[in-house]
PDB file of all heavy atoms in Angstrom:
ATOM      1  N   LEU A 125      -8.982   9.816  -2.168  1.00 92.00           N
ATOM      2  CA  LEU A 125      -8.084   8.707  -2.467  1.00 92.00           C
ATOM      3  C   LEU A 125      -6.656   9.177  -2.266  1.00 92.00           C
ATOM      4  O   LEU A 125      -6.242  10.204  -2.815  1.00 92.00           O
ATOM      5  CB  LEU A 125      -8.289   8.229  -3.903  1.00 92.00           C
ATOM      6  CG  LEU A 125      -7.387   7.112  -4.412  1.00 92.00           C
ATOM      7  CD1 LEU A 125      -7.449   5.887  -3.512  1.00 92.00           C
ATOM      8  CD2 LEU A 125      -7.770   6.736  -5.832  1.00 92.00           C
ATOM      9  N   LEU A 126      -5.902   8.446  -1.449  1.00 91.00           N
ATOM     10  CA  LEU A 126      -4.512   8.772  -1.157  1.00 91.00           C
ATOM     11  C   LEU A 126      -3.592   7.800  -1.877  1.00 91.00           C
ATOM     12  O   LEU A 126      -3.860   6.597  -1.923  1.00 91.00           O
ATOM     13  CB  LEU A 126      -4.245   8.665   0.348  1.00 91.00           C
ATOM     14  CG  LEU A 126      -5.169   9.447   1.269  1.00 91.00           C
ATOM     15  CD1 LEU A 126      -4.891   9.079   2.721  1.00 91.00           C
ATOM     16  CD2 LEU A 126      -5.005  10.931   1.042  1.00 91.00           C
ATOM     17  N   VAL A 127      -2.509   8.325  -2.416  1.00 91.00           N
ATOM     18  CA  VAL A 127      -1.454   7.506  -3.011  1.00 91.00           C
ATOM     19  C   VAL A 127      -0.121   8.108  -2.575  1.00 91.00           C
ATOM     20  O   VAL A 127      -0.051   9.279  -2.200  1.00 91.00           O
ATOM     21  CB  VAL A 127      -1.521   7.465  -4.555  1.00 91.00           C
ATOM     22  CG1 VAL A 127      -2.808   6.824  -5.032  1.00 91.00           C
ATOM     23  CG2 VAL A 127      -1.358   8.849  -5.153  1.00 91.00           C
ATOM     24  N   ASP A 128       0.913   7.314  -2.603  1.00 86.00           N
ATOM     25  CA  ASP A 128       2.253   7.833  -2.356  1.00 86.00           C
ATOM     26  C   ASP A 128       3.224   7.027  -3.183  1.00 86.00           C
ATOM     27  O   ASP A 128       2.937   5.917  -3.615  1.00 86.00           O
ATOM     28  CB  ASP A 128       2.608   7.785  -0.860  1.00 86.00           C
ATOM     29  CG  ASP A 128       2.629   6.386  -0.303  1.00 86.00           C
ATOM     30  OD1 ASP A 128       1.552   5.843   0.026  1.00 86.00           O
ATOM     31  OD2 ASP A 128       3.727   5.825  -0.196  1.00 86.00           O
ATOM     32  N   THR A 129       4.386   7.617  -3.424  1.00 84.00           N
ATOM     33  CA  THR A 129       5.416   6.935  -4.184  1.00 84.00           C
ATOM     34  C   THR A 129       6.765   7.540  -3.830  1.00 84.00           C
ATOM     35  O   THR A 129       6.834   8.615  -3.226  1.00 84.00           O
ATOM     36  CB  THR A 129       5.156   7.032  -5.703  1.00 84.00           C
ATOM     37  OG1 THR A 129       6.081   6.186  -6.389  1.00 84.00           O
ATOM     38  CG2 THR A 129       5.287   8.454  -6.223  1.00 84.00           C
ATOM     39  N   GLU A 130       7.806   6.860  -4.196  1.00 81.00           N
ATOM     40  CA  GLU A 130       9.150   7.391  -4.022  1.00 81.00           C
ATOM     41  C   GLU A 130       9.334   8.575  -4.971  1.00 81.00           C
ATOM     42  O   GLU A 130       8.780   8.587  -6.074  1.00 81.00           O
ATOM     43  CB  GLU A 130      10.196   6.314  -4.337  1.00 81.00           C
ATOM     44  CG  GLU A 130      10.213   5.162  -3.353  1.00 81.00           C
ATOM     45  CD  GLU A 130      10.682   5.594  -1.980  1.00 81.00           C
ATOM     46  OE1 GLU A 130      11.788   6.154  -1.869  1.00 81.00           O
ATOM     47  OE2 GLU A 130       9.947   5.361  -1.016  1.00 81.00           O
ATOM     48  N   GLU A 131      10.123   9.543  -4.556  1.00 80.00           N
ATOM     49  CA  GLU A 131      10.292  10.749  -5.373  1.00 80.00           C
ATOM     50  C   GLU A 131      11.011  10.485  -6.687  1.00 80.00           C
ATOM     51  O   GLU A 131      10.900  11.285  -7.619  1.00 80.00           O
ATOM     52  CB  GLU A 131      10.980  11.851  -4.586  1.00 80.00           C
ATOM     53  CG  GLU A 131      12.427  11.591  -4.263  1.00 80.00           C
ATOM     54  CD  GLU A 131      13.059  12.746  -3.488  1.00 80.00           C
ATOM     55  OE1 GLU A 131      12.536  13.866  -3.531  1.00 80.00           O
ATOM     56  OE2 GLU A 131      14.077  12.495  -2.830  1.00 80.00           O
ATOM     57  N   ASP A 132      11.722   9.357  -6.791  1.00 81.00           N
ATOM     58  CA  ASP A 132      12.404   9.053  -8.047  1.00 81.00           C
ATOM     59  C   ASP A 132      11.626   8.061  -8.920  1.00 81.00           C
ATOM     60  O   ASP A 132      12.116   7.629  -9.954  1.00 81.00           O
ATOM     61  CB  ASP A 132      13.832   8.557  -7.795  1.00 81.00           C
ATOM     62  CG  ASP A 132      13.900   7.330  -6.904  1.00 81.00           C
ATOM     63  OD1 ASP A 132      12.890   7.012  -6.236  1.00 81.00           O
ATOM     64  OD2 ASP A 132      14.967   6.693  -6.863  1.00 81.00           O
ATOM     65  N   ASN A 133      10.387   7.742  -8.534  1.00 85.00           N
ATOM     66  CA  ASN A 133       9.540   6.876  -9.353  1.00 85.00           C
ATOM     67  C   ASN A 133       8.775   7.766 -10.332  1.00 85.00           C
ATOM     68  O   ASN A 133       7.607   8.099 -10.140  1.00 85.00           O
ATOM     69  CB  ASN A 133       8.589   6.067  -8.460  1.00 85.00           C
ATOM     70  CG  ASN A 133       7.831   5.018  -9.241  1.00 85.00           C
ATOM     71  OD1 ASN A 133       7.750   5.075 -10.466  1.00 85.00           O
ATOM     72  ND2 ASN A 133       7.261   4.066  -8.523  1.00 85.00           N
ATOM     73  N   LEU A 134       9.472   8.177 -11.382  1.00 88.00           N
ATOM     74  CA  LEU A 134       8.936   9.162 -12.316  1.00 88.00           C
ATOM     75  C   LEU A 134       7.706   8.660 -13.067  1.00 88.00           C
ATOM     76  O   LEU A 134       6.808   9.451 -13.376  1.00 88.00           O
ATOM     77  CB  LEU A 134      10.028   9.612 -13.281  1.00 88.00           C
ATOM     78  CG  LEU A 134      11.271  10.231 -12.611  1.00 88.00           C
ATOM     79  CD1 LEU A 134      12.296  10.640 -13.657  1.00 88.00           C
ATOM     80  CD2 LEU A 134      10.893  11.395 -11.715  1.00 88.00           C
ATOM     81  N   ALA A 135       7.650   7.358 -13.355  1.00 89.00           N
ATOM     82  CA  ALA A 135       6.477   6.822 -14.053  1.00 89.00           C
ATOM     83  C   ALA A 135       5.227   6.948 -13.185  1.00 89.00           C
ATOM     84  O   ALA A 135       4.167   7.356 -13.673  1.00 89.00           O
ATOM     85  CB  ALA A 135       6.720   5.366 -14.443  1.00 89.00           C
ATOM     86  N   ALA A 136       5.348   6.625 -11.906  1.00 90.00           N
ATOM     87  CA  ALA A 136       4.194   6.744 -11.009  1.00 90.00           C
ATOM     88  C   ALA A 136       3.788   8.199 -10.837  1.00 90.00           C
ATOM     89  O   ALA A 136       2.593   8.527 -10.865  1.00 90.00           O
ATOM     90  CB  ALA A 136       4.512   6.114  -9.655  1.00 90.00           C
ATOM     91  N   ILE A 137       4.763   9.079 -10.693  1.00 89.00           N
ATOM     92  CA  ILE A 137       4.456  10.506 -10.529  1.00 89.00           C
ATOM     93  C   ILE A 137       3.740  11.035 -11.771  1.00 89.00           C
ATOM     94  O   ILE A 137       2.745  11.762 -11.670  1.00 89.00           O
ATOM     95  CB  ILE A 137       5.740  11.297 -10.220  1.00 89.00           C
ATOM     96  CG1 ILE A 137       6.232  10.929  -8.813  1.00 89.00           C
ATOM     97  CG2 ILE A 137       5.499  12.800 -10.344  1.00 89.00           C
ATOM     98  CD1 ILE A 137       7.620  11.436  -8.476  1.00 89.00           C
ATOM     99  N   ALA A 138       4.207  10.648 -12.938  1.00 91.00           N
ATOM    100  CA  ALA A 138       3.553  11.084 -14.180  1.00 91.00           C
ATOM    101  C   ALA A 138       2.116  10.569 -14.247  1.00 91.00           C
ATOM    102  O   ALA A 138       1.202  11.307 -14.633  1.00 91.00           O
ATOM    103  CB  ALA A 138       4.359  10.606 -15.396  1.00 91.00           C
ATOM    104  N   LEU A 139       1.915   9.316 -13.858  1.00 93.00           N
ATOM    105  CA  LEU A 139       0.561   8.755 -13.862  1.00 93.00           C
ATOM    106  C   LEU A 139      -0.343   9.516 -12.902  1.00 93.00           C
ATOM    107  O   LEU A 139      -1.449   9.926 -13.266  1.00 93.00           O
ATOM    108  CB  LEU A 139       0.592   7.272 -13.488  1.00 93.00           C
ATOM    109  CG  LEU A 139      -0.785   6.624 -13.301  1.00 93.00           C
ATOM    110  CD1 LEU A 139      -1.558   6.595 -14.614  1.00 93.00           C
ATOM    111  CD2 LEU A 139      -0.635   5.228 -12.725  1.00 93.00           C
ATOM    112  N   PHE A 140       0.113   9.727 -11.686  1.00 92.00           N
ATOM    113  CA  PHE A 140      -0.730  10.404 -10.695  1.00 92.00           C
ATOM    114  C   PHE A 140      -1.011  11.848 -11.106  1.00 92.00           C
ATOM    115  O   PHE A 140      -2.118  12.352 -10.904  1.00 92.00           O
ATOM    116  CB  PHE A 140      -0.112  10.317  -9.304  1.00 92.00           C
ATOM    117  CG  PHE A 140       0.012   8.904  -8.795  1.00 92.00           C
ATOM    118  CD1 PHE A 140       1.130   8.509  -8.083  1.00 92.00           C
ATOM    119  CD2 PHE A 140      -0.978   7.965  -9.022  1.00 92.00           C
ATOM    120  CE1 PHE A 140       1.250   7.207  -7.612  1.00 92.00           C
ATOM    121  CE2 PHE A 140      -0.874   6.662  -8.558  1.00 92.00           C
ATOM    122  CZ  PHE A 140       0.241   6.280  -7.848  1.00 92.00           C
ATOM    123  N   ASN A 141      -0.037  12.512 -11.715  1.00 91.00           N
ATOM    124  CA  ASN A 141      -0.289  13.862 -12.237  1.00 91.00           C
ATOM    125  C   ASN A 141      -1.332  13.830 -13.346  1.00 91.00           C
ATOM    126  O   ASN A 141      -2.239  14.663 -13.385  1.00 91.00           O
ATOM    127  CB  ASN A 141       1.005  14.503 -12.740  1.00 91.00           C
ATOM    128  CG  ASN A 141       1.871  15.032 -11.623  1.00 91.00           C
ATOM    129  OD1 ASN A 141       1.382  15.473 -10.590  1.00 91.00           O
ATOM    130  ND2 ASN A 141       3.173  15.002 -11.829  1.00 91.00           N
ATOM    131  N   LYS A 142      -1.210  12.866 -14.243  1.00 93.00           N
ATOM    132  CA  LYS A 142      -2.154  12.738 -15.350  1.00 93.00           C
ATOM    133  C   LYS A 142      -3.570  12.462 -14.845  1.00 93.00           C
ATOM    134  O   LYS A 142      -4.556  12.894 -15.452  1.00 93.00           O
ATOM    135  CB  LYS A 142      -1.699  11.604 -16.277  1.00 93.00           C
ATOM    136  CG  LYS A 142      -2.436  11.557 -17.599  1.00 93.00           C
ATOM    137  CD  LYS A 142      -1.985  10.390 -18.459  1.00 93.00           C
ATOM    138  CE  LYS A 142      -0.529  10.530 -18.817  1.00 93.00           C
ATOM    139  NZ  LYS A 142      -0.050   9.472 -19.716  1.00 93.00           N
ATOM    140  N   LEU A 143      -3.671  11.774 -13.722  1.00 92.00           N
ATOM    141  CA  LEU A 143      -4.980  11.438 -13.147  1.00 92.00           C
ATOM    142  C   LEU A 143      -5.491  12.523 -12.195  1.00 92.00           C
ATOM    143  O   LEU A 143      -6.440  12.297 -11.452  1.00 92.00           O
ATOM    144  CB  LEU A 143      -4.901  10.089 -12.427  1.00 92.00           C
ATOM    145  CG  LEU A 143      -4.603   8.891 -13.327  1.00 92.00           C
ATOM    146  CD1 LEU A 143      -4.460   7.620 -12.512  1.00 92.00           C
ATOM    147  CD2 LEU A 143      -5.679   8.732 -14.387  1.00 92.00           C
ATOM    148  N   ASN A 144      -4.843  13.671 -12.214  1.00 89.00           N
ATOM    149  CA  ASN A 144      -5.272  14.844 -11.438  1.00 89.00           C
ATOM    150  C   ASN A 144      -5.140  14.691  -9.932  1.00 89.00           C
ATOM    151  O   ASN A 144      -5.888  15.332  -9.185  1.00 89.00           O
ATOM    152  CB  ASN A 144      -6.698  15.261 -11.809  1.00 89.00           C
ATOM    153  CG  ASN A 144      -6.793  15.729 -13.239  1.00 89.00           C
ATOM    154  OD1 ASN A 144      -5.923  16.466 -13.705  1.00 89.00           O
ATOM    155  ND2 ASN A 144      -7.804  15.272 -13.945  1.00 89.00           N
ATOM    156  N   PHE A 145      -4.218  13.869  -9.484  1.00 89.00           N
ATOM    157  CA  PHE A 145      -3.910  13.868  -8.061  1.00 89.00           C
ATOM    158  C   PHE A 145      -3.178  15.174  -7.783  1.00 89.00           C
ATOM    159  O   PHE A 145      -2.378  15.631  -8.591  1.00 89.00           O
ATOM    160  CB  PHE A 145      -3.022  12.682  -7.675  1.00 89.00           C
ATOM    161  CG  PHE A 145      -3.782  11.404  -7.538  1.00 89.00           C
ATOM    162  CD1 PHE A 145      -4.098  10.641  -8.648  1.00 89.00           C
ATOM    163  CD2 PHE A 145      -4.196  10.963  -6.291  1.00 89.00           C
ATOM    164  CE1 PHE A 145      -4.807   9.460  -8.519  1.00 89.00           C
ATOM    165  CE2 PHE A 145      -4.904   9.779  -6.150  1.00 89.00           C
ATOM    166  CZ  PHE A 145      -5.210   9.031  -7.274  1.00 89.00           C
ATOM    167  N   SER A 146      -3.468  15.763  -6.657  1.00 84.00           N
ATOM    168  CA  SER A 146      -2.842  17.036  -6.334  1.00 84.00           C
ATOM    169  C   SER A 146      -2.558  17.082  -4.849  1.00 84.00           C
ATOM    170  O   SER A 146      -2.627  16.056  -4.170  1.00 84.00           O
ATOM    171  CB  SER A 146      -3.752  18.194  -6.741  1.00 84.00           C
ATOM    172  OG  SER A 146      -4.967  18.109  -6.034  1.00 84.00           O
TER     173      SER A 146
END
Side-chain angles (χ1 to χ4, degrees):
L125 177 55
L126 307 172
V127 297
D128 62 279
T129 188
E130 293 293 304
E131 69 179 339
D132 58 345
N133 188 343
L134 302 180
I137 291 169
L139 173 65
F140 297 141
N141 282 328
K142 192 182 297 183
L143 296 176
N144 295 317
F145 281 82
S146 61

